[in-house]
Amino acid sequence: PGSLLLLLSLLWLRGRGQGFGQTRFICTSVPLDGDMCAATAPGGGSAEELKSTVLQLRETVLQQKETIMNQKETIRELTAKLGRCESQSVLEALPGETKGGGTGRKSGFSKNTMGDLSRAPAAETLSQLGQTLQSLKTRLENLEQFSRMNSSGQTNNLKDILQNKIDDLEKQVLSRVNSLEEGKFNPKNESEERGKIESTLTSLHQRITDLEKGQKDNRPPDRFQLTFPLRTNYMYAKVKKSLPEMYAFSVCMWIKSNASPGMGTPFSYAVPGQANELVLIEWGNNPMEILINDKVAKLPFVINDGKWHHICVTWTTRDGVWEAYQDGTQTGSGENLAPYHPIKPQGVLVLGQEQDTLGGGFDATQAFVGELAHFNVWDRKLSPGEVYSLATCSTRALAGNVIAWAEANIDIYGGATKWTFEACRQLN
């Protein structure tokens, strides 16, 4: 039986090796002590044919083994190449920008900041600097048109100085991009470099603003707006004076934004020991809120449409009663908002950022993006008629008796800009 099985196996393998389809086999008995090679194969075959078949089968098996080994080696080679390609792609993507000039990868990064290395990819910071520099160039082009109409040599000299400073800043940004692409990025020096560029930008913006003011001497001191074009942690404005102790207040302003999600923080007032003494914020997908001593009231404003809106919030410490006005009409009210807690004095009032520490601790995700004007504060509750006069730009409208909107009362930092406010002119 053993010999019979061996013969059947060989014949079956022969059929498989030659690729036969439907094959029939005829069995021939071979004695146990007989020579299998001497047996006569069905159909007239000889022992030599069987030997030849065995050799062919053996060669076929060896060829198949060799083919399998080659295929395995090819698979290992391709796997290794794929692994190298994937690791190279990850390394190239780490700086946060693509080689082809497209937008950088943002996966894993939630903030676009200048001063926070651990949370912001450098390439996105460079993109922000590029946008800021483009804004400066546009303003200088406007100044050039003015200087062509005005033969003042001083104006031309200032314009040339500012243009040279912008060129220097662009070279710094280009150098940093090259360092990133060549892998020479050194995080230790990044904070210092950013500080220098931020300081230069602030100085440059201030000088351009001063130059623009020189060509607009007839502009009233309150007819200006602040523009915060980017969501950063370094653009803001600071009111030069603090708030006094207040048992009631009214805060009103013109505001324009279409930032999403949330326009951020139009203003924040922090005092020692309490960063959220008085804050107006629209963060993420939440509605706009007013915070007093960390207590919160949701405001029924619908203003995130890219159009100018006038808003007012009034509050009294007695029972914590508050009212909200949009475009001259009361849209909501409530009570029990920090009742019997007077607003504390000796704090810092910032426009455009939410403070986590006194005068700082800014978070780019809570930054205001948009335009703001006529920010006024009173230490009393305004009447509906007074609010309406403000919203309609009436000549009877009063300026804030605590904080009045005037260029001399505001310092700007980090690239926030001042422009002429036109909303009231459009209404009149």
Side-chain angles (χ1 to χ4, degrees):
S3 300
L4 177 61
L5 287 174
L6 178 60
L7 179 60
L8 288 173
S9 299
L10 289 172
L11 290 172
W12 180 77
L13 284 171
R14 184 180 180 186
R16 295 281 291 178
Q18 294 180 355
F20 291 154
Q22 299 293 329
T23 304
R24 295 179 63 200
F25 296 98
I26 299 175
C27 300
T28 303
S29 299
V30 178
L32 286 173
D33 55 350
D35 185 0
M36 186 183 70
C37 294
T40 302
S46 65
E48 290 298 323
E49 289 179 350
L50 286 174
K51 285 182 180 179
S52 176
T53 300
V54 170
L55 291 175
Q56 287 178 4
L57 287 172
R58 190 175 292 168
E59 186 177 351
T60 300
V61 169
L62 290 174
Q63 287 176 352
Q64 288 175 343
K65 281 185 177 179
E66 186 177 355
T67 300
I68 291 171
M69 293 300 294
N70 289 338
Q71 288 175 343
K72 284 184 177 179
E73 184 61 29
T74 302
I75 291 171
R76 279 197 296 270
E77 217 174 288
L78 290 173
T79 302
K81 287 181 179 180
L82 180 61
R84 286 196 296 271
C85 288
E86 287 177 342
S87 62
Q88 183 64 25
S89 298
V90 170
L91 288 174
E92 289 179 356
L94 280 177
E97 62 180 359
T98 56
K99 295 280 185 183
T103 56
R105 290 182 58 181
K106 297 184 180 179
S107 300
F109 298 102
S110 60
K111 293 168 183 155
N112 303 325
T113 66
M114 175 175 278
D116 193 339
L117 285 175
S118 64
R119 296 182 293 180
E124 296 202 6
T125 297
L126 295 177
S127 174
Q128 290 182 357
L129 287 174
Q131 293 179 51
T132 304
L133 289 172
Q134 187 58 48
S135 172
L136 287 172
K137 280 188 167 184
T138 301
R139 295 172 70 188
L140 274 182
E141 288 173 2
N142 294 334
L143 290 172
E144 285 176 356
Q145 293 178 0
F146 172 76
S147 64
R148 282 194 290 268
M149 295 182 291
N150 186 336
S151 60
S152 169
Q154 182 181 7
T155 300
N156 288 325
N157 290 336
L158 280 172
K159 184 263 296 180
D160 292 338
I161 292 171
L162 293 170
Q163 183 63 62
N164 290 335
K165 284 207 169 191
I166 289 180
D167 292 340
D168 291 340
L169 277 171
E170 286 185 312
K171 289 177 184 176
Q172 290 182 48
V173 172
L174 181 60
S175 173
R176 293 173 69 195
V177 170
N178 291 336
S179 296
L180 283 172
E181 291 181 346
E182 295 172 7
K184 298 177 182 177
F185 178 64
N186 185 357
K188 293 181 179 179
N189 298 329
E190 180 66 4
S191 179
E192 182 180 348
E193 289 179 17
R194 288 179 176 184
K196 288 179 181 178
I197 291 180
E198 178 184 345
S199 176
T200 305
L201 277 174
T202 300
S203 172
L204 190 55
H205 273 289
Q206 190 61 54
R207 295 191 66 179
I208 290 180
T209 298
D210 292 341
L211 189 55
E212 288 172 334
K213 281 178 65 178
Q215 73 180 63
K216 298 172 183 175
D217 289 330
N218 296 326
R219 184 169 77 186
D222 65 341
R223 196 180 159 195
F224 75 102
Q225 68 185 52
L226 297 179
T227 299
F228 303 91
L230 304 172
R231 199 181 292 278
T232 73
N233 70 347
Y234 57 87
M235 282 189 184
Y236 67 102
K238 183 178 177 182
V239 179
K240 292 183 179 179
K241 60 183 293 188
S242 172
L243 298 179
E245 185 174 64
M246 295 189 299
Y247 294 85
F249 69 74
S250 296
V251 179
C252 300
M253 71 198 79
W254 283 91
I255 200 166
K256 177 182 178 182
S257 179
N258 60 359
S260 179
M263 67 176 64
T265 309
F267 79 90
S268 65
Y269 176 67
V271 297
Q274 178 53 278
N276 295 327
E277 183 67 6
L278 178 56
V279 182
L280 184 68
I281 184 171
E282 184 183 78
W283 187 26
N285 295 315
N286 301 312
M288 185 165 279
E289 300 171 336
I290 185 81
L291 281 70
I292 299 176
N293 191 34
D294 257 336
K295 306 301 185 294
V296 182
K298 298 184 183 301
L299 304 176
F301 291 145
V302 183
I303 53 179
N304 197 354
D305 57 3
K307 299 177 181 179
W308 280 107
H309 293 279
H310 187 266
I311 61 173
C312 279
V313 179
T314 69
W315 172 86
T316 61
T317 186
R318 183 173 181 177
D319 295 328
V321 175
W322 61 269
E323 295 175 347
Y325 293 82
Q326 178 177 328
D327 298 325
T329 302
Q330 184 176 327
T331 56
S333 63
E335 59 183 19
N336 203 34
L337 174 59
Y340 304 102
H341 170 83
I343 302 299
K344 295 178 182 177
Q346 306 305 315
V348 177
L349 182 55
V350 167
L351 305 178
Q353 295 284 354
E354 195 274 334
Q355 303 172 67
D356 285 336
T357 59
L358 191 64
F362 303 146
D363 184 335
T365 64
Q366 297 175 327
F368 174 69
V369 180
E371 298 167 63
L372 186 150
H374 283 266
F375 176 84
N376 287 275
V377 182
W378 294 260
D379 59 3
R380 63 181 180 85
K381 177 182 173 181
L382 293 184
S383 69
E386 289 173 319
V387 172
Y388 184 80
S389 293
L390 290 165
T392 55
C393 302
S394 169
T395 55
R396 297 190 299 273
L398 301 174
N401 66 332
V402 173
I403 301 293
W405 186 246
E407 292 195 55
N409 296 339
I410 305 288
D411 288 328
I412 58 175
Y413 299 91
T417 56
K418 292 180 181 177
W419 300 93
T420 301
F421 179 64
E422 301 290 351
C424 278
R425 173 180 288 186
Q426 295 169 6
L427 288 174
N428 293 330

